[in-house]
Amino acid sequence: MSDSSSIDPEEIRTWQAKIQQANRNNLLCHCQVCDREWVSSRPEPCSCGSRQVESIACWQFPDG
């Protein structure tokens, strides 16, 4: 296992920017009222009007 201090700060910034981009464009939204699910580029209310929506970044889910 490598020491985290050996990671280049520019590499860390690049990695963080990629995660931020993934978060901006791929949020799995789930309405806790009507159970509807959709993918959005930002947290938003459900089409049923509920604001009780959970948003999770899609990159957190494994492919497959």
Side-chain angles (χ1 to χ4, degrees):
M1 185 177 208
S2 66
D3 183 339
S4 63
S5 64
S6 66
I7 299 173
D8 179 346
E10 184 58 33
E11 184 179 359
I12 292 172
R13 283 190 287 276
T14 300
W15 177 78
Q16 289 171 333
K18 287 179 181 182
I19 290 175
Q20 288 173 350
Q21 182 67 29
N23 285 342
R24 280 193 294 272
N25 297 320
N26 297 295
L27 292 176
L28 174 65
C29 301
H30 173 249
C31 179
Q32 296 177 342
V33 173
C34 74
D35 222 22
R36 180 176 169 253
E37 292 183 343
W38 68 98
V39 175
S40 179
S41 60
R42 67 189 189 297
E44 60 188 14
C46 183
S47 59
C48 77
S50 172
R51 293 194 171 274
Q52 294 180 12
V53 176
E54 178 181 24
S55 299
I56 303 169
C58 290
W59 64 264
Q60 294 181 18
F61 297 97
D63 292 338

